[in-house]
Amino acid sequence: MCGIVGYVGAKNKAIDTVLEGLETLEYRGYDSAGIAYIEKDTISVHKAIGRVQALHDDLGPNVSKNTISIGHTRWATHGSPTVYNAHPHTNQDGSIAVVHNGIIENYEELRDFLKKKGYNFVSETDSEVIPHLLDYHLRKTRSFRVAFLQTLKALSGTFGLVVMTTHEPDVLFAARLGSPLVLGITNTNAIIFASDPAALIAHTKKVVFLNDYEYVIAKQDGTYALHDFMKDTKVVRDPEILAYDAEEAQLGDFAHFMLKEIYEVPQTIRSATLGRIKAEEGIVKLGGLEAVSEQLNYIDRIVIVACGTSYYAGLVGEYLIEEIAGIPVEVQYASEFKYRDEPFSRSTALLAISQSGETADTIAALKKVEDFGVLRLGIVNAVGSTIARMTDAGVYCHAGPERAVASTKAFVAQVTVLAQMALYLSKGNSPLYKPLLKELDALPQKAEQLLKLDATIQKMAKKYAHYNDFLFIGRKYDFPSALEGALKLKEISYIHAEGFAAGEMKHGPLAMIEPAFPTFAIAPNGSLLPKTVSNIEEIRARKGKVVAIGTQGNTQLKRLVDDVLYMPDTLEQTTPILSAIILQLFAYYVALERGHNVDRPRNLAKSVTVE
Ligand code: AGP
C-alpha cells in the first residue's frame, strides 16, 4: 500500500501540490518517497529514504513550481526501502516516469522479456517493468497512447498508476486495476490524481473515482477523458462531491491523529446512529439496506469477512446478530476465507467490514463469491471505496477520515453499526430491542465521561509501559475486546500482547503468568463477572499483576487487582464500545512512553492494499 499523487494544470503548483499530497498519504507507507517533474523538456527525478520531508530537503527552495508532476510514498513489497527501489521509476533515456501502487504479478516474466530486448533494470521492484514496457511499445507503435494501452493490457496483478512523459509533456496518463485511484478537478482546472481523496481534498472536493480497467488521459488545460482499457470504450461518469472537509482530515491541536480520533469517539457514535435510530419511537432505519430488505428476509446465515480490528468488530457483531436477530453468524479472517471450500447456500449473506474499503484480502473475499449469487453486504467507512462499490448494499460508518494506522473510532463505528444491523434484522422481535436502542442513544455521553479518564490512564500506562508481555482476557462480548485491546497495544508499542477468552486461561495461558507478565482483565458487571473474577484470582495466586476494567461502583474489584479503571454502567452488548476507549488510550500512552511514532508504527500501513 503506497501513496501516489499526480498533478497537471496551468498554474505553477505541481510540485507543492504533489509534496503536500504525499504528506497526507504517509499513512499508506513511508519507507521512501520520490517526485518527478518535467522542466525544459526533461524529466527531473528526486528520491529519498524515509519521510516526504526528506524530499523537500533534497529539492531545496529554488526548484520551480512547475505545471506537471508525479510523486510516491512507498511501503516496500518487492525490494528493500532504498533510493533505487523508490518511485518514480523511469525508462532508460529518462523520457518516461511512473508511480505505481499495487503488485505486478507477472513482473518476472516481463522483466525477462525486456532484458532479452536489451533493457537494463536498476531496482528490485516489480514496478520498474512499467516504464520499460511503455518504452518498448512506444518504439514499436510511435504513439504514446497506444503504447500506454498495450502496456496496461500486458500487466497482470494490481495497479493504480500515473505516468508522465516528455513525449507528451502536458499530459498525465493514469489507470486503475485493483488499487484505488481518484481524480480531482480543481476550480483552476488542474487535474490531481491520488490513491486516496485525502491527498487532494485541500484543493478540491470534486472527484471521479476510477473503476477497475479504467484509464484517464488528463491534459494541462483541465480536460480529461475516461476509458475502459479492456472494452476499448469511452466512459462517461459525472464527478461527485466528497462528503468531508480537509480540516476533518487534519490534526488540529492534538499531538497525534490517534489521540484526535479517540477523542472523536463520542461524535462517531452520534454520526453512526444519526438518522438511523429513533429510540423514543423504537425505530431503526438503515437506508443502505432498504434496497435488499426483501432478500434479507431469506437470509439464514451470515459470514462476516474482515481483517485486524475490523475482524474483531465482526466478532462483536457475531454475538449481537445471533443474540438479537437469531441469525447464525460466522466470522472469518478474509485472508483465510479465500482458501476455504465451504458450502455457500444462496440464503447465506457475506458481510465485509472494512474501515478503508481498500483492504486487498477483504476485496479478494468479495471477489471469491462474485459468482455465487449470494448477497454481499458491507460496513465501510471510506465512502466510494472499492469494497463499498463491490457490495450489493451496505451501511457506511460515517466516522470521517481515520488517519492513524491504529484503528480507533472506526472500530467503535463498526460495532455501533453492527448493533443497529442486529436490531434492523430482528424486526423489533427481541427483548433487547428497546433497551439497546435507548442505550445507543445514551452512549455518546458515557463515552465523553470515559475520556475524562485520560490523565488517569496516562499515569497507569507509564506504570506498565516497560513490560514486554501482556495478556488481555474477557468473556463473551468482552472476548473480542480483549483481542482488540491486545492488537492495539502490540501494533503501536510493539509489546508482545495476546488476547484470550478468559475461560481459556486454565487451558494453557496461565502457565505464562508470573510477575513480569501482567494481565488486562475486562470485567464489567454482568452475569459473567463472577467467572472472570475467578480468573483474576487464579492469576493473582501466581503473582501475576492485573489491570481491570470494571463497572463504576464495583468496589470489590479494586481489592482484587493492582489497578482498576471504571466505566459507566452499560448493557453487555455495548460494553465493547466503551471499553474500547480505555484500551485505546492505554495503548496510545504506553506507545508514547516507549517513544514510538504512534501514528506511523514500524512495518505497518493504514490501508493494506496488497494480499
Ligand atoms: C487496526 O488497528 C490495524 N491498523 C489493522 O488491523 C486494520 O484493522 C486492518 O488492516 C483492516 O483494515 P480495514 O478495516 O481498512 O479493512
Side-chain angles (χ1 to χ4, degrees):
M1 32 289 150
C2 306
I4 56 180
V5 182
Y7 176 103
V8 60
K11 304 277 178 204
N12 280 345
K13 293 177 62 181
I15 293 174
D16 295 347
T17 306
V18 168
L19 288 175
E20 244 173 72
L22 292 178
E23 276 160 358
T24 66
L25 296 182
E26 282 190 309
Y27 72 92
R28 299 177 65 84
Y30 31 89
D31 294 326
S32 59
I35 189 169
Y37 52 89
I38 296 178
E39 197 168 44
K40 301 189 186 71
D41 285 340
T42 310
I43 291 182
S44 297
V45 180
H46 295 256
K47 302 180 181 184
I49 300 298
R51 311 289 296 271
V52 175
Q53 181 54 47
L55 269 188
H56 279 286
D57 305 341
D58 189 43
L59 281 165
N62 309 318
V63 69
S64 73
K65 298 298 175 203
N66 220 286
T67 58
I68 186 167
S69 176
I70 59 176
H72 185 274
T73 56
R74 183 165 182 255
W75 184 79
T77 52
H78 292 70
S80 49
T82 64
V83 166
Y84 293 110
N85 289 333
H87 302 214
H89 288 294
T90 60
N91 63 332
Q92 283 168 195
D93 67 11
S95 62
I96 301 169
V98 179
V99 287
H100 165 238
N101 180 25
I103 291 183
I104 305 301
E105 289 175 354
N106 61 338
Y107 83 95
E108 281 157 330
E109 170 201 328
L110 291 171
R111 208 179 165 97
D112 292 345
F113 166 77
L114 289 162
K115 278 183 175 170
K116 286 192 184 96
K117 298 290 181 188
Y119 287 88
N120 299 313
F121 286 77
V122 296
S123 81
E124 308 155 284
T125 68
D126 54 324
S127 309
E128 192 189 349
V129 297
I130 302 172
H132 297 313
L133 206 52
L134 283 164
D135 183 281
Y136 170 75
H137 285 301
L138 179 62
R139 288 176 193 282
K140 282 181 60 185
T141 63
R142 318 304 305 160
S143 152
F144 195 82
R145 292 158 196 238
V146 174
F148 185 62
L149 254 181
Q150 291 184 346
T151 299
L152 296 180
K153 291 178 178 174
L155 301 176
S156 66
T158 58
F159 51 82
L161 58 86
V162 184
V163 179
M164 70 176 1
T165 174
T166 52
H167 300 286
E168 299 210 34
D170 300 337
V171 181
L172 283 184
F173 297 78
R176 178 218 150 112
L177 176 56
S179 187
L181 196 63
V182 62
L183 171 154
I185 308 113
T186 73
N187 55 16
T188 58
N189 278 338
I191 303 275
I192 307 175
F193 288 103
S195 31
D196 175 324
L200 49 76
I201 193 167
H203 304 279
T204 180
K205 289 164 71 171
K206 189 175 162 192
V207 299
V208 174
F209 287 94
L210 271 72
N211 288 329
D212 283 348
Y213 300 105
E214 289 181 351
Y215 74 94
V216 180
I217 297 176
K219 293 185 185 169
Q220 190 173 22
D221 62 6
T223 57
Y224 66 91
L226 192 57
H227 305 267
D228 181 303
F229 62 78
M230 289 315 271
K231 300 176 196 150
D232 265 344
T233 51
K234 200 166 160 47
V235 174
V236 179
R237 185 179 310 129
D238 292 339
E240 54 190 274
I241 303 304
L242 286 173
Y244 60 83
D245 298 318
E247 56 277 5
E248 281 182 290
Q250 300 315 318
L251 196 48
D253 51 7
F254 285 92
H256 300 96
F257 278 110
M258 184 175 176
L259 189 61
K260 173 174 180 272
E261 287 148 12
I262 294 171
Y263 269 77
E264 287 174 354
V265 162
Q267 184 50 44
T268 299
I269 300 167
R270 289 189 190 95
S271 307
T273 54
L274 187 67
R276 291 171 171 170
I277 63 168
K278 289 196 173 53
E280 292 318 309
E281 297 96 271
I283 292 172
V284 177
K285 188 177 176 313
L286 297 178
L289 298 182
E290 292 306 319
V292 296
S293 58
E294 190 49 35
Q295 233 175 310
L296 285 171
N297 292 330
Y298 302 98
I299 296 301
D300 60 14
R301 179 170 176 259
I302 295 173
V303 172
I304 295 177
V305 290
C307 306
T309 288
S310 299
Y311 171 84
Y312 299 138
L315 289 176
V316 180
E318 177 177 357
Y319 286 111
L320 287 164
I321 295 170
E322 289 186 342
E323 183 173 26
I324 297 164
I327 299 172
V329 176
E330 182 187 355
V331 190
Q332 297 184 37
Y333 284 117
S335 57
E336 283 300 310
F337 175 79
K338 298 180 285 186
Y339 309 121
R340 278 184 62 168
D341 285 329
E342 64 186 292
F344 228 93
S345 79
R346 295 174 73 95
S347 56
T348 300
L350 189 80
L351 171 57
I353 303 178
S354 174
Q355 185 287 127
S356 63
E358 300 299 345
T359 300
D361 288 325
T362 311
I363 290 171
L366 282 165
K367 278 211 167 90
K368 170 181 173 181
V369 301
E370 223 156 35
D371 308 327
F372 287 21
V374 298
L375 184 60
R376 296 185 297 170
L377 304 173
I379 294 179
V380 178
N381 190 36
V383 175
S385 56
T386 302
I387 290 170
R389 287 182 288 128
M390 285 179 77
T391 50
D392 304 306
V395 185
Y396 277 124
C397 291
H398 295 320
E402 184 177 74
R403 317 210 55 76
V405 166
S407 187
T408 51
K409 63 176 183 175
F411 171 79
V412 168
Q414 289 163 347
V415 175
T416 305
V417 166
L418 282 159
Q420 295 171 91
M421 199 176 265
L423 292 168
Y424 179 87
L425 293 169
S426 77
K427 300 181 189 309
N429 304 323
S430 161
L432 279 166
Y433 191 84
K434 280 260 183 191
L436 182 51
L437 261 182
K438 199 160 157 285
E439 187 62 12
L440 285 173
D441 221 16
L443 274 185
Q445 297 88 328
K446 295 185 177 181
E448 300 282 7
Q449 272 181 49
L450 268 177
L451 290 172
K452 294 190 172 68
L453 286 178
D454 187 321
T456 309
I457 295 171
Q458 182 173 13
K459 193 157 155 266
M460 202 186 77
K462 283 188 182 348
K463 183 175 165 187
Y464 290 92
H466 302 294
Y467 286 96
N468 293 316
D469 298 286
F470 234 106
L471 200 58
F472 287 73
I473 61 170
R475 287 175 183 268
K476 198 176 175 187
Y477 283 96
D478 304 316
F479 167 39
S481 298
L483 296 170
E484 167 57 11
L487 175 64
K488 277 301 81 73
L489 187 64
K490 74 175 87 156
E491 72 174 319
I492 59 173
S493 72
Y494 316 151
I495 290 173
H496 160 241
E498 287 188 66
F500 271 97
E504 272 299 290
M505 281 302 287
K506 52 195 173 299
H507 300 291
L510 197 58
M512 299 189 290
I513 296 304
E514 55 183 28
F517 202 129
T519 300
F520 212 117
I522 305 167
N525 286 354
S527 58
L528 299 174
L529 178 61
K531 295 203 182 331
T532 308
V533 165
S534 310
N535 294 125
I536 291 172
E537 283 163 343
E538 287 158 14
I539 293 168
R540 301 281 295 155
R542 277 102 185 148
K543 311 241 178 308
K545 290 182 172 41
V546 178
V547 181
I549 295 179
T551 303
Q552 272 160 7
N554 179 353
T555 49
Q556 178 216 10
L557 213 47
K558 212 181 180 78
R559 292 195 295 276
L560 269 177
V561 298
D562 298 271
D563 289 278
V564 57
L565 291 159
Y566 285 111
M567 64 181 171
D569 190 23
T570 187
L571 298 176
E572 64 171 322
Q573 291 77 14
T574 44
T575 301
I577 291 172
L578 295 183
S579 60
I581 297 170
I582 294 176
L583 296 166
Q584 291 162 5
L585 284 172
F586 179 76
Y588 171 76
Y589 284 116
V590 167
L592 222 51
E593 184 64 21
R594 290 171 77 105
H596 294 320
N597 181 331
V598 175
D599 285 339
R600 308 263 178 277
R602 70 184 180 194
N603 309 341
L604 301 179
K606 179 64 178 173
S607 177
V608 186
T609 56
V610 291
E611 290 188 44

